[in-house]
């Protein structure tokens, strides 16, 4: 069984959990002992969006965008159930369960360790994460679960459109912060950098190579050349992110654990809230797995950027969003493993 499970999985993918942990540790150490590195990279920023991270995310998802066949994208409308699951879970369930779980832990269960002021700020960070479903990283999780790339693109694209109109009202409603001002430029630039540009690049590359060398060459010779770029981009992204926040993480070890607990519970809960209905609706696994991953993961690039822009880089709100980055990748790798071990639940 293990040989079958590892069939077709590259060296980096097979031991991805190990590389992720090592890169997170390396990033924290760089931030602690080589602070000049993140300080230099932090100069390359526009509208609260890190350009180096944007470039790495572009490299991370560009190979997957090349797999998108727009002929199949047009057929997504014939099977809209997966889209309905994505929309309902991400916008009618996830933000409110995040609020409820985070409030329960920060105000009730952890009240002896967290002041009411800190509880309020940590809750604000959790809500920023819960109101921003994943955009960029979900292409990695879809790739690792062998999701349908065309369907994933549509799931993500429609989520991005809803983010533009739904993110701010949901955050304000849940937190009652009428003075919260989320920069529209940050929202739009994030969608442009993390989805539009890599998608356009992938489509142009696919069309050019297929027109010149044929589909068989593209799928069997050209695509395999990029097999390790996605994982390499992910690992380098983690090093940079954690180098930016290394000092903050080392200064708050106990509170990081307290913040992580409700975020981890929320991640598992939302995954199964999306994943199981897909099974009951008899959707194929390559649609169900990305639907669960989109719901479980967060658009942490946006959440961190908004937290810093609105509340400040040293605020407890920003710390809560950073913890979201800290726990998301390892937890999502566990969910990838669960999804890959339950393919038999779904029709092919």
């Amino acid at each position: 069984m293990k040989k079958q499970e590892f069939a077709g999985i590259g060296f980096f993918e097979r031991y991805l959990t190990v590389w992720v942990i090592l890169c997170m540790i390396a990033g924290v150490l760089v931030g602690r002992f080589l602070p000049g590195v993140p300080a230099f990279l932090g100069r390359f920023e526009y509208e609260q969006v890190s350009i180096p991270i944007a470039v790495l995310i572009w490299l991370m998802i560009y190979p997957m965008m090349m797999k998108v066949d727009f002929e199949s994208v047009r057929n997504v409308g014939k099977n809209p159930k997966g889209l309905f699951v994505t929309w309902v879970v991400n916008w009618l369930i996830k933000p409110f369960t995040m609020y409820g779980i985070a409030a329960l832990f920060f105000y009730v269960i952890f009240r002896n360790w967290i002041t009411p002021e800190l509880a309020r700020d940590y809750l604000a960070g959790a809500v920023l994460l819960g109101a921003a479903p994943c955009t960029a990283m979900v292409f990695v999780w879809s790739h690792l679960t062998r999701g349908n790339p065309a369907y994933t693109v549509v799931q993500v694209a429609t989520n991005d459109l809803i983010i533009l109109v739904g993110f701010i009202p949901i955050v304000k409603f849940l937190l009652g912060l009428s003075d919260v001002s989320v920069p529209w430029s940050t929202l739009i630039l994030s969608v442009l950098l993390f989805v539009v540009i890599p998608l356009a690049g992938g489509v142009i590359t696919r069309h050019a190579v297929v027109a010149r060398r044929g589909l068989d060459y593209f799928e069997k010779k050209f695509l395999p050349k990029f097999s390790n770029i996605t994982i390499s981009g992910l690992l380098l992204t983690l090093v940079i992110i954690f180098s930016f926040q290394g000092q903050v993480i080392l200064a708050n070890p106990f509170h990081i654990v307290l913040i992580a607990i409700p975020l981890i519970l929320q991640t598992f809960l939302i995954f199964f809230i999306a994943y199981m209905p897909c099974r009951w609706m008899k959707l194929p696994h390559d649609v169900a797995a990305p639907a669960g991953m989109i719901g479980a993961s967060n658009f942490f690039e946006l959440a961190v950027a908004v937290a810093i822009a609105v509340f400040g880089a040293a605020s407890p709100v920003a710390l809560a969003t950073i913890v979201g980055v800290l726990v998301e990748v390892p937890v999502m790798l566990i969910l990838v493993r669960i999804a890959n071990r339950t393919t038999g639940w779904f029709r092919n």
Side-chain angles (χ1 to χ4, degrees):
M1 289 299 294
K2 287 187 177 180
K3 290 182 178 180
Q4 291 176 353
E5 181 184 346
F6 286 149
I9 298 179
F11 178 75
F12 279 117
E13 292 179 0
R14 186 176 304 182
Y15 301 104
L16 185 55
T17 302
V18 176
W19 312 136
V20 164
I21 293 173
L22 291 176
C23 287
M24 290 165 62
I25 294 173
V28 171
L29 293 177
V30 168
R32 173 65 178 85
F33 297 106
L34 299 172
V37 174
F40 173 75
L41 294 175
R43 295 165 53 188
F44 301 95
E45 186 177 273
Y46 183 76
E47 296 293 349
Q48 304 295 329
V49 176
S50 169
I51 301 304
I53 290 178
V55 171
L56 284 174
I57 289 178
W58 190 87
L59 290 175
M60 190 188 339
I61 64 180
Y62 167 70
M64 286 167 282
M65 293 301 193
M66 288 193 294
K67 297 179 182 179
V68 176
D69 179 3
F70 271 80
E71 292 296 325
S72 59
V73 168
R74 285 200 289 264
N75 294 326
V76 164
K78 297 178 181 178
N79 187 15
K81 293 180 181 179
L83 296 178
F84 294 148
V85 170
T86 299
W87 299 336
V88 170
V89 170
N90 281 277
W91 298 104
L92 298 181
I93 298 176
K94 180 179 180 178
F96 305 98
T97 56
M98 175 69 88
Y99 179 91
I101 292 174
L104 172 64
F105 276 87
F106 296 146
Y107 282 116
V108 180
I109 299 175
F110 295 154
R111 67 180 180 274
N112 292 329
W113 297 295
I114 299 177
T115 65
E117 293 75 20
L118 275 179
R120 179 198 61 210
D121 289 344
Y122 291 160
L123 177 62
V127 167
L128 288 175
L129 289 167
C134 191
T135 292
M137 292 292 291
V138 74
F139 292 108
V140 178
W141 314 134
S142 177
H143 167 70
L144 293 176
T145 57
R146 294 174 176 79
N148 183 322
Y151 208 100
T152 303
V153 165
V154 177
Q155 287 171 306
V156 170
T158 53
N159 252 342
D160 288 336
L161 293 176
I162 298 174
I163 283 176
L164 293 176
V165 298
F167 180 80
I168 296 174
I170 287 176
V171 170
K172 288 186 175 182
F173 172 76
L174 289 176
L175 299 182
L177 298 176
S178 58
D179 59 340
V180 172
S181 176
V182 179
W184 282 101
S185 55
T186 299
L187 289 170
I188 296 172
L189 182 62
S190 295
V191 172
L192 177 67
L193 288 176
F194 300 141
V195 178
V196 176
I197 289 178
L199 177 60
V203 170
I204 292 171
T205 303
R206 179 188 179 93
H207 177 76
V209 174
V210 170
R212 183 179 178 184
R213 304 293 297 271
L215 182 61
D216 188 67
Y217 170 83
F218 175 79
E219 292 182 342
K220 296 180 179 179
K221 299 288 187 179
F222 188 77
L223 280 180
K225 297 178 181 178
F226 297 85
S227 58
N228 289 327
I229 289 181
T230 291
I231 304 303
S232 300
L234 168 63
L235 298 178
L236 288 173
T237 300
L238 291 175
V239 172
I240 292 181
I241 288 176
F242 283 93
S243 71
F244 285 157
Q245 307 300 338
Q247 301 280 10
V248 176
I249 292 170
L250 291 175
N252 299 274
F254 179 62
H255 279 210
I256 284 173
V257 174
L258 297 182
I259 296 169
I261 291 172
L263 296 185
I264 291 172
L265 291 176
Q266 161 77 1
T267 302
F268 279 98
L269 173 66
I270 291 299
F271 171 78
F272 285 106
I273 286 177
Y275 195 58
M276 297 310 296
C278 289
R279 180 191 183 191
W280 300 331
M281 290 188 287
K282 303 186 184 303
L283 293 175
H285 183 264
D286 64 0
V287 170
M293 298 299 167
I294 293 173
S297 54
N298 303 305
F299 193 172
F300 57 74
E301 301 91 352
L302 175 62
V304 172
V306 171
I308 292 173
V310 177
F311 299 98
S315 68
V317 179
L319 175 62
T321 60
I322 292 164
V323 175
V325 184
L326 180 67
V327 303
E328 175 164 321
V329 175
V331 172
M332 292 303 298
L333 289 175
I334 294 173
L335 293 177
V336 165
R337 190 172 184 84
I338 292 173
N340 286 338
R341 286 181 172 273
T342 55
T343 55
W345 292 0
F346 300 83
R347 66 179 178 86
N348 297 324

